[in-house]
Amino acid sequence: MWKLKIAEGGALLSSVNNHVGRQHWEFDPDAGTPEERAQVDQLRHNFTKNRFQIKQSADLLMRMQFRKESLSGPIPAAIQVSEIEDITEEAVSTTLRRALIFFSSIQAHDGHWPAESAGPLFFLPPLVIALYVTGALNTVLGTQHQIEVIRYIYNHQNEDGGWGLHIEGHSTMFGSVLNYIALRLLGQPLHTNAVAKGRQWILEHGGAIAIPSWGKFWLAVLGVYDWDGCNPMPPEFWLLPNIFPFHPSKMLCYCRLVYMPMSYLYGKRFVGSITSLVQSLREELYTNSYHQIDWNKARNTVAKPDLYYPHPLVQDMLWGFLHHLAEPLLKRWPLSLLRDKALQVAMNHVHYEDQASRYLSIGCVEKVLCLIATWVEDPNSEAFKLHLARIPDYFWIAEDGLKFQSFGCQMWDAGFAVQAIMSCNLNEENGPMLRKAHEFIKASQVQDDPNGNFKDMHRHISKGAWTFSIQDHGWQVSDCTAEGLKSTLLFSQMSTELVGEKMETQRFYDAVNVILSLQSSNGGFPAWEPQRAFRWLEKFNPTEFFEDTLIEREYVECTGSAVQGLALFRKLYPTHRRKEIDAAISRGIHYIQDTQNPDGSWYGCWGICYTYATWFAVEALTACRNNYNNSLALRKACEFLVSKQLPNGGWGESYLSSQNKVYTNIEGNRANLVQTAWALLSLISAGQAEIDPTPIHRGIRLLINEQMEDGDFPQQEITGVFMRNCTLNYSSYRNIFPIWALGEYRRRVLFA
């Protein structure tokens, strides 16, 4: 059986906090009773049987393990509330206690709540390709790993035979070709029904020449696509002066760190060994003979199902110039000397980022790119070995198989979780859970800026920040820092006997310093780094399946978190940098008001979608003494949310809202409990209960009645999103946000 390990190190791993927050899965062939193994098999069978109706796994293997290991007490019997009954304090408190007992049982011993953070179907196949090319496939992916990878890919194949960009999406060439190749590299024969259906979908939609640019890159590395069919990624960009508008330092950090190793591999024109399997794939993936493909035409050929962001003409003109004129010159002496220098500079940046993140990298896409770049530079390098050692940090096992996570959401979830628990006013009953979470959050704060001359490496300050995952990751995030600051400030007001020693004052100051350093001139807050580039640069976004990927920009969610964190800090530390904080909060509020849509909503970039962003905006406004009576923005927000309430009392917003930028209900007008909780939190905070509490009562009734027998809440549709077009699951959300909404209802509506 598989077992999740928490806060454990391993060979070649380094840590600044003794691996607090680290989570990785190991297979133990002797673990589990026959009954437990049978239960796991049944969970897998159930998922596969229902895979076309229920796309997202429910994280049942982790929950099964932790529930077994937990010492939590018995769970009270559930209470149901009919449509004609009033909601009583007993019903709410019982539901909360049941939810909190369950939630405590899945808390890790280091204080965080382990959870899946996956959903995209283009995360895992590049790892398989990279391990195949480097010869490490069977070393890193043992037999049981490969079984689970294959299970995952088969489970998320669509009925038409293709694979989507993410598990809930329609079939795309990007998802289909990459997952098809992964199956073939893992030994799945061509005649297998699922493999044959996948190949049929690919060929019926034009073949692999129509894969988007990232796919073209990976196919070129594997040797089943020609580099001449890729738009240029010249490493010489790393030699440009800082004043140049295209300079890498002005790019969104994720974009920068993707194209950093990509440019190295492109500049080297690296191709893996042409094995018999690679030769076979060349024949399997195309409608024409491989050697007759017009690679120049293929550069800008993208399948219609993949084309979310078509290249503007000016971008295609730039790629044409670089391909036809610049590249031929850069391959010839003496300009080839410039390429050699650019390749070295690019690899210097790769090594710096590897070391700064302790070989975790900023995310899974970049992780695999940097891994293969270090191998191409030196197959026997220590850097490559250190990369291999960190791969298990990205694995997640559930009933649908092995998936490759974005990078983990340990800190993000913990910051929300403690605020949700505190909202219940049941702290004495939940002291041990809160104390462990407090220790985790304190241990997760980044204690130093990036090493060396980090500004020359295009990095920002990080001392005092919190990351999305763990301290070892090292990358500051504005909203994670703000939620960490809020949580630790709230803990500082509680009994030390209950929750442990409060964090040192200077560490609060350091967090505030990071937040203030990130605010843009328009008052909004970006996510990772200050906004440095012109908006028009997005016209050169080369990723056809994402939007807003090239430069950093401001987000309502990040701004909302930052304003809340600064407002709470100002209340508790009124003299520290008061003028700067007042100005930052004022500008942040103006940004939020200015970005409200005419219908009263806000567009969300990191959650689905209008429901999610509206919650952050409302909480920021109310944190600054705005209320239903004195704020038009809050009244409009309430009107918007009430207008979207479903007949069953809930809210349910589809990922298509993010993609199409129009509010769209989930198919069948189904309610989603996480989104229902977001809407309820907004309405309660904005003061809707004082005007008409009926919509709130109806939503709370749904949360109470949907709670499961063991105190858990059901896993429903994915509620996370990024780059407008791809979903990301946060499996702890289904516990955190119903608890939070019920807690706020109990405290601010029932006991008002």
Side-chain angles (χ1 to χ4, degrees):
M1 284 179 63
W2 289 94
K3 186 169 184 179
L4 182 61
K5 304 281 189 174
I6 299 296
E8 294 185 12
L12 300 179
L13 300 183
S14 63
S15 176
V16 294
N17 66 351
N18 201 27
H19 302 287
V20 170
R22 183 173 188 249
Q23 47 192 28
H24 73 285
W25 290 83
E26 290 184 359
F27 183 79
D28 182 352
D30 300 320
T33 64
E35 293 78 15
E36 288 169 341
R37 295 182 189 184
Q39 183 181 357
V40 169
D41 288 341
Q42 187 62 50
L43 294 176
R44 290 168 174 159
H45 171 77
N46 291 344
F47 183 87
T48 300
K49 179 181 177 182
N50 300 303
R51 66 190 183 280
F52 297 129
Q53 291 76 43
I54 303 173
K55 304 277 189 170
Q56 176 56 51
S57 64
D59 229 354
L60 296 179
L61 302 193
M62 181 279 290
R63 289 170 184 242
M64 175 181 165
Q65 174 189 327
F66 275 55
R67 291 283 288 155
K68 177 187 174 184
E69 296 171 354
S70 170
L71 300 176
S72 58
I75 295 179
I79 292 181
Q80 294 285 299
V81 182
S82 72
E83 287 292 330
I84 60 173
E85 288 182 289
D86 290 335
I87 299 173
T88 64
E89 191 277 333
E90 180 189 7
V92 175
S93 296
T94 299
T95 304
L96 275 173
R97 287 188 168 93
R98 298 178 77 250
L100 290 165
I101 291 171
F102 179 87
F103 198 42
S104 69
S105 74
I106 59 170
Q107 184 183 27
H109 63 79
D110 70 352
H112 84 281
W113 284 266
E116 174 195 317
S117 176
L121 288 172
F122 63 92
F123 283 178
L124 186 57
L127 174 70
V128 176
I129 293 172
L131 294 177
Y132 180 85
V133 168
T134 61
L137 184 62
N138 293 322
T139 302
V140 174
L141 298 179
T143 301
Q144 295 299 325
H145 288 87
Q146 294 189 29
I147 288 171
E148 296 304 323
V149 170
I150 293 167
R151 187 195 313 279
Y152 182 74
I153 294 174
Y154 279 149
N155 272 331
H156 294 291
Q157 185 177 26
N158 289 331
E159 290 184 88
D160 63 6
W163 285 266
L165 183 66
H166 55 90
I167 63 173
E168 293 187 359
H170 65 268
S171 295
T172 63
M173 190 64 70
F174 190 40
S176 299
V177 171
L178 288 183
N179 282 281
Y180 174 88
I181 288 174
L183 288 174
R184 296 288 283 123
L185 296 181
L186 290 167
Q188 296 299 287
L190 185 58
H191 61 264
T192 302
N193 182 53
V195 175
K197 284 184 65 178
R199 182 177 182 229
Q200 181 181 353
W201 190 95
I202 292 166
L203 296 179
E204 287 178 351
H205 290 80
I209 62 165
I211 196 170
S213 56
W214 284 14
K216 296 179 193 296
F217 168 87
W218 277 113
L219 268 59
V221 168
L222 180 60
V224 297
Y225 190 93
D226 197 282
W227 280 111
D228 283 341
C230 296
N231 279 320
M233 295 170 269
E236 286 75 17
F237 277 123
W238 293 92
L239 302 179
L240 293 173
N242 279 1
I243 60 170
F244 199 77
F246 285 99
H247 192 271
S249 67
K250 296 178 172 62
M251 298 168 71
L252 175 69
C253 56
Y254 274 87
C255 184
R256 183 170 76 239
L257 268 66
V258 163
Y259 287 100
M260 180 174 67
M262 272 190 177
S263 69
Y264 175 78
L265 294 163
Y266 172 84
K268 299 280 284 189
R269 295 292 182 109
F270 170 79
V271 178
S273 298
I274 306 302
T275 64
S276 59
L277 180 53
V278 170
Q279 291 277 17
S280 180
L281 286 168
R282 287 181 172 183
E283 302 304 315
E284 296 168 25
L285 291 169
Y286 299 98
T287 56
N288 299 321
S289 169
Y290 182 80
H291 298 289
Q292 295 178 346
I293 294 172
D294 183 344
W295 295 111
N296 180 53
K297 182 179 178 182
R299 283 189 303 112
N300 294 314
T301 301
V302 178
K304 187 176 180 180
D306 296 69
L307 198 57
Y308 181 67
Y309 183 80
H311 291 175
L313 176 62
V314 66
Q315 185 180 152
D316 285 338
M317 291 173 63
L318 173 63
W319 299 140
F321 169 78
L322 291 172
H323 179 77
H324 293 293
L325 296 176
E327 275 298 307
L329 290 173
L330 288 165
K331 293 177 186 175
R332 298 177 182 175
W333 190 91
L335 291 181
S336 60
L337 299 176
L338 188 66
R339 170 139 298 183
D340 291 340
K341 181 179 179 182
L343 290 170
Q344 187 57 57
V345 170
M347 278 309 296
N348 288 344
H349 280 273
V350 168
H351 290 308
Y352 179 86
E353 295 297 341
D354 286 346
Q355 292 161 14
S357 66
R358 282 154 281 279
Y359 290 84
L360 283 166
S361 303
I362 194 173
C364 67
V365 173
E366 299 79 1
K367 164 72 178 173
V368 178
L369 288 165
C370 290
L371 176 148
I372 197 167
T374 58
W375 183 84
V376 170
E377 183 187 42
D378 180 0
N380 299 311
S381 67
E382 186 73 5
F384 177 63
K385 296 173 185 175
L386 291 168
H387 260 299
L388 292 180
R390 275 295 189 183
I391 289 175
D393 291 60
Y394 281 93
F395 291 156
W396 193 263
I397 306 285
E399 63 270 24
D400 59 341
L402 185 155
K403 55 205 80 176
F404 208 47
Q405 298 208 101
S406 58
F407 43 62
C409 51
Q410 295 94 310
M411 177 55 214
W412 181 244
D413 284 351
F416 281 149
V418 298
Q419 294 176 72
I421 297 165
M422 290 178 188
S423 75
C424 302
N425 264 356
L426 298 170
N427 293 339
E428 294 295 331
E429 300 176 26
N430 295 286
M433 180 164 50
L434 286 169
R435 189 185 190 98
K436 286 197 297 182
H438 190 196
E439 294 305 318
F440 170 75
I441 293 173
K442 288 189 293 185
S444 298
Q445 188 182 27
V446 178
Q447 300 297 305
D448 295 293
D449 290 327
N451 59 296
N453 194 348
F454 60 90
K455 291 184 179 179
D456 284 352
M457 307 308 285
H458 319 313
R459 290 291 296 268
H460 189 62
I461 62 171
S462 59
K463 183 180 180 181
W466 276 273
T467 74
F468 205 74
S469 54
I470 58 177
Q471 187 186 162
D472 284 334
H473 181 257
W475 271 91
Q476 73 287 338
V477 192
S478 62
D479 52 359
C480 298
T481 301
E483 298 301 333
L485 176 63
K486 286 164 59 182
S487 300
T488 49
L489 287 170
L490 291 171
F491 274 124
S492 74
Q493 303 304 295
M494 298 174 68
S495 164
T496 57
E497 292 184 2
L498 185 68
V499 299
E501 294 298 321
K502 80 171 194 175
M503 201 167 71
E504 298 89 339
T505 301
Q506 184 58 48
R507 293 173 64 180
F508 294 129
Y509 293 171
D510 291 340
V512 168
N513 186 56
V514 171
I515 295 171
L516 291 175
S517 74
L518 290 168
Q519 191 172 29
S520 297
S521 58
N522 65 2
F525 283 81
W528 295 276
E529 297 174 324
Q531 204 281 332
R532 299 164 176 158
F534 299 107
R535 294 285 186 202
W536 57 262
L537 284 172
E538 279 295 345
K539 291 186 179 294
F540 297 93
N541 165 26
T543 50
E544 302 87 348
F545 49 89
F546 285 152
E547 188 176 332
D548 288 340
T549 62
L550 200 61
I551 65 171
E552 183 68 278
R553 61 185 295 272
E554 300 77 28
Y555 305 98
V556 170
E557 303 101 300
C558 295
T559 306
S561 284
V563 167
Q564 292 175 66
L566 291 173
L568 181 57
F569 177 84
R570 179 175 64 180
K571 178 181 177 181
L572 299 178
Y573 294 88
T575 61
H576 182 76
R577 300 178 70 171
R578 181 59 181 256
K579 289 184 178 179
E580 294 172 77
I581 291 172
D582 285 349
I585 291 173
S586 176
R587 290 162 56 213
I589 290 296
H590 283 302
Y591 172 84
I592 289 170
Q593 292 170 331
D594 290 345
T595 53
Q596 188 175 28
N597 295 316
D599 67 358
S601 70
W602 285 265
Y603 179 87
C605 293
W606 304 111
I608 300 171
C609 167
Y610 296 96
T611 317
Y612 182 70
T614 298
W615 172 54
F616 281 92
V618 166
E619 294 289 0
L621 290 168
T622 58
C624 299
R625 299 182 181 178
N626 293 285
N627 57 52
Y628 191 98
N629 295 317
N630 68 14
S631 171
L632 176 61
L634 287 175
R635 292 195 294 275
K636 289 173 63 180
C638 289
E639 291 167 5
F640 163 76
L641 290 169
V642 170
S643 76
K644 301 303 180 185
Q645 191 169 27
L646 299 169
N648 68 357
W651 283 260
E653 188 178 1
S654 168
Y655 73 89
L656 295 173
S657 290
S658 302
Q659 182 176 304
N660 300 329
K661 305 181 186 68
V662 176
Y663 189 99
T664 306
N665 283 344
I666 293 172
E667 186 178 356
N669 289 334
R670 297 191 304 274
N672 182 290
L673 298 186
V674 173
Q675 292 167 336
T676 297
W678 290 339
L680 290 169
L681 286 166
S682 297
L683 292 173
I684 293 169
S685 182
Q688 174 69 33
E690 299 170 15
I691 309 303
D692 176 13
T694 304
I696 298 174
H697 295 323
R698 294 178 62 222
I700 291 295
R701 180 178 289 109
L702 179 69
L703 294 184
I704 292 172
N705 291 338
E706 288 295 309
Q707 189 178 38
M708 298 165 67
E709 189 62 33
D710 60 2
D712 199 359
F713 290 92
Q715 175 66 55
Q716 297 170 306
E717 292 81 5
I718 290 178
T719 53
V721 73
F722 63 98
M723 306 305 177
R724 302 188 188 273
N725 195 37
C726 194
T727 64
L728 188 66
N729 183 48
Y730 297 90
S731 61
S732 284
Y733 277 14
R734 76 184 204 239
N735 303 101
I736 293 168
F737 289 105
I739 289 172
W740 203 339
L742 287 161
E744 289 295 301
Y745 178 81
R746 179 177 183 268
R747 184 170 63 89
R748 300 176 63 175
V749 179
L750 284 183
F751 292 166

